[in-house]
Amino acid sequence: MAKNMLDGAQVIVDYLIRQKVPYAFGLCGHGNIQFIDALYERAEDIKTISVHHETVAGFMADVYYRVSGQPTATFTSCGPGSANLPIALGNSFLDSVPFLAVTGNIPTSQFNRGAFQELYRHYQADFPSTVRAYCKRVFQPTRGEMVPLAMRQAWKTMVTGRPGPVVLDVPFDVFREAAAEETPKPEEWSANISCRCGADPEGVKQAVDMVLSAERPVILIGQGVKYGGAATDLKTLAEKLDIPVAWSASGAGGIDSSHRLALGLVARNGPYQANHAARQADVLLALGVRFDDRTSSSWLPGYSFTIPPTKLIHVDIDPDEIGRNYPVALGLMADVRTFLRQVLGELDARKDVRDKAAARAKWLDAIAGYRTEWESFIAPGFVDDGSPINPQRAAREIDAAMPADGILVSDIGVHHNWLIAFCKAKRPDSLIGSMGFGPMGFGVAGALGAKLAAPDRPCVSVCGDGAFFMHASVLGTAVEYAIPVVWVVWNNYAYASIRGLQRGYLNGRELATDFKHPGTGAPYNPDFAAMARSAGIDGVRIDRAADLGEAVRAGIATGRPYLIDAQISADRNPGGAGVWELPGLGQSQPAIGGRFQPSRG
Ligand SMILES: Cc1ncc(C[n+]2csc(CCOP(=O)(O)OP(=O)(O)O)c2C)c(N)n1
Ligand SMILES: [Mg+2]
């Protein structure tokens, strides 16, 4: 067909290229073959990665951004193809990660006729209702000429303010309808928009006053620090004032874990020094955190936080997160990096900054004592040589085998709880996990996105046996596109995190949480190493802790995809100084320390 104008699909692809999108991840269907055809035309400028499950495409796009800061796109067909995507959208939405999902829909001429794969019983071509709760915004152009506007608005919505995934839902005919002589120019519509807004200048002064007069200050960092590119300014501030820094799981790596001021994870399974300092703080400076239940010991006072009497300064780009779960002494809507720079500027104008830093010595001494208690509490787990492998030791062996620039992408499950407690993240992207939606498969597939984003850095996925089996199709994708990631399958023959809940809360009434052979009742799983080999990938099975680190190093060294089936015990859960409550079932007990009771007055 001769074309003298760009059609809808061409405009979308052209705009992606103008936005320097290097990859489109997706899966075909009749609803998107015309979009794929537009990708075909521009194959030199944008690479197409075809996966074996749409969710995988979304997870790859998600982690690609977490590593590179560059949003990418997915493409899925109408009906079931796109209905496989909401899990990935929800994951990115709750963790504030942008990607553009181009979903196909049925032809506009067939709206409301119940054509093949149309969701029509409530409203015509109703994919937007399916994903409404799962993404930042849905655009559905219904004529070719509407595509340029929808495309540039979709991109802008995705990347501005609090970022998040956006869906561009395109009916079949609209892909091929004439859309525009020219694609919109990013430099006119989104490239020159800054959302690095600062805080109210009066609020900055107030924050500085509060922090300088605090006796037991703690900084708590979340994802806003990592993705906001604020790690360097955070370190400068912490060092300048000698304030210890704790993190939510999403903030891990926002400061090097081995920094003298790094406290660790605040959570049920967080170390004593992090929880005990955070819950005793007189001023808590929270930067880009949400205070979800897992960070906050289910908001039960005295375990992770005691707000009030702790005075909370909460800084976030999204005012919806401020005052959601805790009362604020000072709430400031701002980009975290800009806020930190404002604070550093304000400190330059103050005279008494060094004296105040000296006054922190007593607080830091007390924290050093908590740290020593914690370290002797956890020491036995690191020398356990038992088989299957002690999970605490497994987390430490894997972490120690990661090179300084390595990227570990975790899946969801008990292994994630061990990893966030015991990995020592060095950089903002050393340890990547999903904290909001928590879909199984995130780490299985996400590691592929990490490797494409950082081809020179070793990328390791640590994933549960349950999740790996759910998304084992990634083996094929790694081979087809020569993506050398290492999977460490944390094999405990169970949906162990959930079985742990049955054991902890339901008197061990276990059902539907472990994998057993019907004949013998013995633990059952496929032979994952053999599965990998069947896909053309080297695979090994490891059942001794002492061999695990070496296996990870060897896997990385091959420079090819690699799988390690690690036999790991599920008999214990990572304990820490916090708790977690399942309303109606009760709450866990801290493994160390108790509930902090602030003294009155
Ligand atoms: C798609 C999806 N289904 C179900 C769950 C609920 N869930 C959370 S963790 C978990 C168990 C995961 O098992 P596995 O992957 O083996 O990890 P383990 O807990 O054993 O480390 C389940 C079923 C989920 N988070 N995501
Ligand atoms: Mg498991």
Side-chain angles (χ1 to χ4, degrees), residues 414-415 463-467 490-497 513 515 525 570:
V414 75
H415 58 283
C463 51
D465 47 331
W490 188 287
N491 192 352
N492 52 25
Y493 297 87
Y495 295 129
S497 45
T513 49
F515 315 136
N525 250 329

Side-chain angles (χ1 to χ4, degrees), residues 186-431:
E187 57 276 23
E188 288 171 3
W189 296 107
S190 53
N192 298 324
I193 300 173
S194 167
C195 293
R196 291 265 185 206
C197 52
D200 161 24
E202 283 309 309
V204 173
K205 286 191 183 135
Q206 237 180 304
V208 169
D209 288 342
M210 287 171 70
V211 168
L212 283 180
S213 58
E215 288 177 6
R216 296 180 309 282
V218 169
I219 299 176
L220 178 73
I221 59 170
Q223 185 158 290
V225 170
K226 298 200 324 186
Y227 300 153
T232 305
D233 296 293
L234 167 80
K235 182 164 167 274
T236 308
L237 177 69
E239 288 174 351
K240 194 168 187 125
L241 298 182
D242 253 346
I243 301 184
V245 180
W247 50 85
S248 69
S250 306
I255 186 167
D256 184 338
S257 308
S258 56
H259 191 282
R260 70 182 172 85
L261 292 167
L263 276 174
L265 172 75
V266 179
R268 163 184 59 163
N269 53 330
Y272 184 53
Q273 70 273 9
N275 283 274
H276 200 42
R279 67 200 183 197
Q280 288 184 81
D282 53 356
V283 172
L284 183 69
L285 175 59
L287 304 172
V289 286
R290 290 190 302 129
F291 290 108
D292 70 322
D293 59 332
R294 295 204 290 165
T295 304
S296 312
S297 289
S298 299
W299 309 290
L300 294 161
Y303 291 107
S304 291
F305 305 109
T306 325
I307 309 170
T310 296
K311 291 192 186 111
L312 172 63
I313 306 172
H314 194 171
V315 184
D316 204 285
I317 187 102
D318 185 353
D320 273 1
E321 296 300 351
I322 301 174
R324 178 187 297 287
N325 289 313
Y326 286 115
V328 278
L330 180 62
L332 295 171
M333 175 185 158
D335 167 68
V336 168
R337 190 177 82 181
T338 308
F339 169 77
L340 284 167
R341 291 181 181 178
Q342 288 177 292
V343 167
L344 290 169
E346 176 65 21
L347 286 171
D348 285 344
R350 304 274 179 126
K351 295 198 177 61
D352 49 356
V353 173
R354 280 317 305 166
D355 314 347
K356 300 286 181 186
R360 305 272 183 268
K362 199 170 147 212
W363 177 225
L364 293 177
D365 273 358
I367 289 172
Y370 311 148
R371 195 187 297 270
T372 308
E373 277 185 67
W374 170 251
E375 276 167 6
S376 53
F377 173 74
I378 58 173
F382 295 132
V383 290
D384 184 347
D385 262 329
S387 184
I389 303 168
N390 175 313
Q392 181 185 320
R393 174 118 190 244
R396 179 54 59 87
E397 295 290 340
I398 295 166
D399 187 43
M402 293 296 293
D405 64 344
I407 301 171
L408 195 163
V409 188
S410 173
D411 212 88
I412 317 303
V414 75
H415 58 283
H416 185 217
N417 294 339
W418 285 107
L419 294 171
I420 57 178
F422 291 102
C423 287
K424 298 208 167 297
K426 303 165 190 80
R427 310 169 34 154
D429 57 6
S430 299
L431 177 60

Side-chain angles (χ1 to χ4, degrees), residues 14-15 17-20 152 155-156 182-194:
D14 197 36
Y15 195 82
I17 292 166
R18 286 172 186 238
Q19 288 287 0
K20 304 195 170 34
R152 65 173 171 76
W155 191 275
K156 191 207 69 176
E182 240 196 292
T183 310
K185 295 187 176 63
E187 57 276 23
E188 288 171 3
W189 296 107
S190 53
N192 298 324
I193 300 173
S194 167

